Amino acid sequence: MSIFDIVGPVMIGPSSSHTAGAARIGLMARKILTDEPIRADITVYGSFAKTYKGHGTDKALVAGLLGFSADDIRLRSSFEIAKEKGMTVTLTRSEEETDHPNTVRIKLEGKTGIVMEIVGVSLGGGRIEIREINSFHVEITGEEYTLLTFHHDQPGIIAKVTTIMALGAINVSTMRVFRSAKNANAVMIICTDSPIPSDLETEICNISAIQSVIALSPL
């Protein structure tokens, strides 16, 4: 346990899990979208649904979607700023039970037409985990440089990607692959010790079976 775990994050708001964590989920969702969001349909569950007003969870989520960090004073005015920027926000409280009490589902639409649906949880102390992207099970903490590849499941994809990274002197810390079924759609999550240069990202994206690539920096 570090001093950060005891003291908590630098933040605006009363709760590290309901405010700081929510802001970081929103920010990570924006990064995954890779576009300027123009519409956000937010559904909160469990404890988030019960206390979101009092703890500013709704404002924090929208602040993150706007690109604000958990300690940004603009968090308090996020709904007004979203309106000024032309981002439509709807928020729904759900009674449905989830695996974690601090769960949110965010469906985002970007200016270029990209649509992403993301499920995230706030684990406490400002720590988060993205657990679902477009119905794919994932595990993304936002604490490391992370490369996501969405691809068609077939032999050799992992070897091709890791070879490119090795030749680029990128050290992999962890890697996991999730797929909907054999020879169907899959997502690979690769955490690295350093950022992926844009030329390597392009090279990976050009692998025939890969549909898209997202490079994420630590929050």
Side-chain angles (χ1 to χ4, degrees), residues 50-191:
K50 292 181 174 65
T51 63
Y52 76 95
K53 281 287 187 183
H55 285 168
T57 303
D58 52 347
K59 294 179 180 179
L61 287 166
V62 173
L65 294 175
L66 290 168
F68 303 159
S69 61
D71 61 349
D72 195 313
I73 196 168
R74 292 174 294 177
L75 184 149
R76 298 190 179 103
S77 306
S78 61
F79 274 87
E80 291 83 357
I81 296 172
K83 187 175 181 180
E84 291 171 4
K85 290 181 174 291
M87 183 170 77
T88 302
V89 179
T90 64
L91 190 142
T92 304
R93 296 170 63 250
S94 175
E95 299 295 329
E96 180 184 343
E97 291 189 6
T98 55
D99 293 335
H100 194 281
N102 299 331
T103 298
V104 58
R105 181 180 296 274
I106 306 172
K107 185 175 181 180
L108 284 177
E109 179 183 349
K111 279 186 176 180
T112 62
I114 298 174
V115 175
M116 286 282 184
E117 190 164 348
I118 294 140
V119 175
V121 299
S122 178
L123 302 172
R127 294 176 299 115
I128 67 162
E129 186 174 81
I130 302 301
R131 293 188 171 178
E132 190 177 306
I133 300 175
N134 287 353
S135 299
F136 273 105
H137 172 72
V138 297
E139 295 174 8
I140 302 170
T141 65
E143 296 175 0
E144 297 180 273
Y145 293 102
T146 304
L147 186 79
L148 304 179
T149 71
F150 296 87
H151 60 276
H152 182 76
D153 178 47
Q154 65 182 52
I157 296 297
I158 295 173
K160 288 179 181 178
V161 172
T162 54
T163 296
I164 290 171
M165 297 179 80
L167 292 174
I170 301 298
N171 193 45
V172 174
S173 59
T174 61
M175 180 175 68
R176 298 193 69 181
V177 180
F178 302 90
R179 62 184 186 179
S180 57
K182 184 179 179 180
N183 298 323
N185 292 323
V187 60
M188 181 160 44
I189 305 170
I190 306 173
C191 295

